[in-house]
Every structure is written in C-alpha cells, then in structure tokens.
Amino acid sequence: MLELLQRVFGREASRTSKYLAKERLRLVLMHDRMDISPQILESLRADLLKVITEYMVVDEGATEIALHRGQGSVALVANIPVLKMKRLPQKLKN
Amino acid sequence: MGEALVITSGKGGVGKTTTAANIGTSLAMMGYRVVLVDADIGLRNLDVVMGLENRIVYDLVDVVQGRCRLRQALIRDRRFESLFLLPAAQTKDKTAVNPEQVRDLCQELEKENDYIIVDCPAGIEQGFRNAIAGANKAIVVTTPEVAAVRDADRIIGLLEASELRNPLLILNRIRSRMVKRGDMLDVEDVIEHLAIDLLGIVPEDETIIISTNRGEPAVLNVNSRAGAAYRNISRRIVGEEVPLIDLEANGSFVQRVKRLFGLRTG
C-alpha cells in the first residue's frame, strides 16, 4: 500500500532526500576515515603479505599499497609483483 | 566517588548545552548531587539555559587561577538543592585554562558529587581538549543531518584516541514526519554509520525554545516531549533500562487532547 502511494507520488526509495543523505554520508565518512596513519597502512601491508606469501612468492620490496579516492568511490590498490607460484597447500586441493 | 560525563558534538548548534542542562536537571530531580560545568570559555550559555545568569560572581577561570575557592564559584540552582552550576568565564578565552587544570577540577568535584556534567564547546581545538580532560565518559550529541553526523564521527575518533572509549550517542531533533516521508535520516541510518551505542533519541520540540526563553529546562515540563526523552536518557545514565520514546505519539489526536488537559503522555 505504502509502496503504491510512493509510486503514485513519484517517490521511490532511491529518490528520497534521505537516501541521498545516506549515500553522501557514506562517502564523506569513508573519505574522512581514509586519513589513516602510515603505521596503520604498514601494518595492513604486512598482514596482506603474510596471507599472500602462503600461496606465492612475491617481491616484497617492490610491493605498493595505497588508498585511492575517485569520484564516488574509494579503492584499496595493491601492486604486488609475483615471482613464483607455490604448490597449493594440501587443505585447498580438495 | 562521582562520575564526570562530557557532552560533546564537534558541530555547533546541535543541542549540547540543552542536553547538558536537561540531563543535569533530571539527575538532580532523581535526587543525585550534580554539578554542571560550562567549559565553553568565552561563549558561556549554560547559565542562560539554566536561568542562573544573574547569580554569577566567580567562574571556572577564577577557580583554576586561584582567585576564589571552588565552593564560592558554584551556583546553587533555584529549584533543586543538589544541583550546582560552575559557569564559564565570558571575558577570557579557552587558552586561559589547560587540560591538567580541568582534570584536577573534575577530580575535586567528583569527591562530593554524584555526577559532573561538562558542557563542551564546539570544535576540536583546545576548548574540546580542556572539556574532555576530566571526563570518565563521553556523550556525543548529533542531529540527523550529514554535516552533524560527519562531525560526530570525527569527534568519536578523537575521543577514542584520548582514551575515552565507548562514547554514547544522543540523536537530537528528530522530526518523525520527515523520517516517515523519507526526508530525514532515521536512528538506524545514523547508528549504522557511527557504530556506537545509542543512549537516547530526542524529538524536535518547540517546548525546548520556550523553556530556553524562560530559563527552565524542559525536563521540568511534564508536557514536553523532549523533556520526557531527556528524563528517559537520565534514567539510562544511572543504569535503569528504559525503552526508547515513541516518536509517533506526537501526532495522535488522543495524545494532543491529553496534553491539552495536562495529562502525562511521555
């Protein structure tokens, strides 16, 4: 019923100003919180490498990890050169 | 041994001072011994909201700089024996005090009072750092607007960095009609973004303006919806379990008629 009314008055959920506010808030908070310290980024890098090196040998010295902000989105971009694949751990083979 | 709560928000105009006055007053109504501390040096307002502006002799800066004793600067409330106000200085600025001095002051006040409610200035500079220095607990006030929630998020980060963990949220000035028609963020939206515990919600209410005009906190008015919300919040502060106020109640005809005849609805 409410849905019908909303359609009649041309206000789908995604058009309400509340929806806009939510979306803008999400982005603005993400950008604000991106301001993370180099120590935290370094700790993230170390944790990522710990997981990745279980599967492959990578060039740790040439690894780059950074947060990139674009229009309307934020991405964690990691460039990790692979030197050699490891044999898959037994537990993953099944 | 008392507890010091700081009321903070980052953004100005979201209702910090109103919140401090109402929480302080309702805690005193419940019989607790309470001191309201106005930490907004240079822009004092808590005295006006409390209706005590004509009784100020000494202020916080006088106490900290040793021009008077703490006891001399505390103004006893007209209505409640166990409620006191320590006003901010109006002619100095926030550099007149430092965080260590405020910490000492709060510790001194905690000895003889149950609750110290510190009204924090807007912003994140020294005034903020002074205000939070003596607190054991923080309450973050925000309104359902992008700018206010964003500032609240920043403040929560700063509080946690200063060892004031697990701040509690008050969402102020909610207009249930706007929420219903999809034109205002609701409680869930705000909580989802800020990821902190909710202490209470307060509806937008004209009686707040009237009570500020009179210098009588809204918790004293049995017909004020916001006053009822603040009384609930205070009961939660002392550890009672109280359900959230029903924001819809405002619109119902029966409720309005009841209120017209002065019956309690909150």
Side-chain angles (χ1 to χ4, degrees):
Chain A
M1 182 62 194
L2 192 65
E3 224 171 276
L4 180 74
L5 280 175
Q6 277 173 341
R7 215 174 304 151
V8 170
F9 293 104
R11 292 174 65 91
E12 298 129 57
S14 61
R15 289 248 196 90
T16 60
S17 70
K18 166 195 150 121
Y19 177 82
L20 267 178
K22 240 182 120 166
E23 204 39 36
R24 294 178 57 221
L25 188 58
R26 189 181 67 81
L27 284 172
V28 91
L29 289 189
M30 198 156 58
H31 276 105
D32 287 357
R33 291 174 185 172
M34 260 176 70
D35 199 16
I36 60 176
S37 68
Q39 290 97 308
I40 290 177
L41 207 59
E42 186 47 44
S43 138
L44 171 66
R45 196 176 93 110
D47 282 350
L48 275 175
L49 286 175
K50 213 184 321 172
V51 176
I52 290 168
T53 50
E54 280 189 30
Y55 299 83
M56 53 198 86
V57 180
V58 300
D59 186 353
E60 297 198 16
T63 296
E64 282 169 23
I65 288 169
L67 281 163
H68 286 263
R69 52 186 90 191
Q71 274 290 11
S73 69
V74 173
L76 176 69
V77 177
N79 189 357
I80 308 171
V82 180
L83 299 177
K84 203 160 82 181
M85 292 303 292
K86 285 187 177 177
R87 215 168 262 124
L88 282 180
Q90 202 60 40
K91 59 174 181 182
L92 293 177
K93 278 198 170 160
N94 313 319
Chain B
M1 197 67 184
E3 191 172 40
L5 308 169
V6 61
I7 315 287
T8 180
S9 71
K11 189 174 178 296
V14 299
K16 279 182 299 297
T17 303
T18 305
T19 298
N22 279 290
I23 289 179
T25 304
S26 55
L27 286 171
M29 283 166 79
M30 292 159 77
Y32 293 96
R33 206 177 148 91
V34 182
V35 179
L36 288 163
V37 177
D38 190 346
D40 200 347
I41 295 163
L43 285 171
R44 77 172 167 220
N45 276 326
L46 191 50
D47 54 332
V48 175
V49 175
M50 292 298 294
L52 299 171
E53 69 273 20
N54 293 327
R55 320 227 328 239
I56 298 176
V57 182
Y58 296 110
D59 57 51
L60 190 150
V61 176
D62 292 325
V63 175
V64 163
Q65 297 184 345
R67 274 191 294 276
C68 70
R69 273 173 295 143
L70 178 54
R71 203 174 290 252
Q72 293 174 287
L74 293 178
I75 302 166
R76 190 189 291 268
D77 184 73
R78 287 179 279 122
R79 296 141 297 209
F80 298 98
E81 281 234 310
S82 66
L83 179 59
F84 299 84
L85 169 71
L86 179 57
Q90 183 69 335
T91 50
K92 320 267 184 340
D93 71 61
K94 43 197 139 226
T95 56
V97 229
N98 65 45
E100 289 70 39
Q101 292 169 322
V102 179
R103 190 174 307 140
D104 293 346
L105 179 73
C106 285
Q107 269 167 11
E108 193 59 34
L109 287 169
E110 278 169 24
K111 286 181 195 160
E112 290 184 5
N113 300 281
D114 299 308
Y115 290 98
I116 323 300
I117 311 288
V118 184
D119 183 21
C120 178
I124 53 173
E125 290 88 25
Q126 191 179 341
F128 167 74
R129 263 175 269 132
N130 283 339
I132 67 166
N136 325 109
K137 221 181 210 176
I139 295 172
V140 176
V141 182
T142 194
T143 58
E145 292 154 89
V146 179
V149 177
R150 179 204 204 166
D151 289 2
D153 186 67
R154 184 104 167 83
I155 285 294
I156 293 165
L158 292 171
L159 287 170
E160 296 199 329
S162 328
E163 304 295 305
L164 270 170
R165 306 221 179 272
N166 305 321
L168 299 170
L169 184 75
I170 292 179
L171 186 58
N172 195 15
R173 309 189 64 174
I174 304 173
R175 299 180 186 218
S176 62
R177 264 197 236 154
M178 291 190 73
V179 171
K180 236 199 284 181
R181 67 167 192 253
D183 277 329
M184 184 174 263
L185 294 167
D186 64 21
V187 190
E188 285 76 28
D189 298 330
V190 177
I191 291 288
E192 182 195 318
H193 283 301
L194 295 180
I196 66 172
D197 289 333
L198 184 67
L199 179 63
I201 55 176
V202 183
E204 172 84 67
D205 186 349
E206 287 183 1
T207 63
I208 288 290
I209 294 171
I210 297 166
S211 72
T212 307
N213 290 344
R214 294 202 169 120
E216 301 268 344
V219 289
L220 298 168
N221 176 358
V222 289
N223 297 318
S224 166
R225 303 258 312 134
Y230 279 121
R231 285 195 298 273
N232 285 351
I233 286 169
S234 301
R235 288 170 60 196
R236 288 185 204 112
I237 289 174
V238 304
E240 289 180 41
E241 278 195 27
V242 188
L244 287 180
I245 197 162
D246 179 11
L247 293 171
E248 302 291 317
N250 197 24
S252 119
F253 177 70
V254 178
Q255 297 279 353
R256 282 190 201 176
V257 173
K258 272 192 189 165
R259 245 180 306 145
L260 195 62
F261 290 101
L263 296 169
R264 287 187 62 157
T265 57

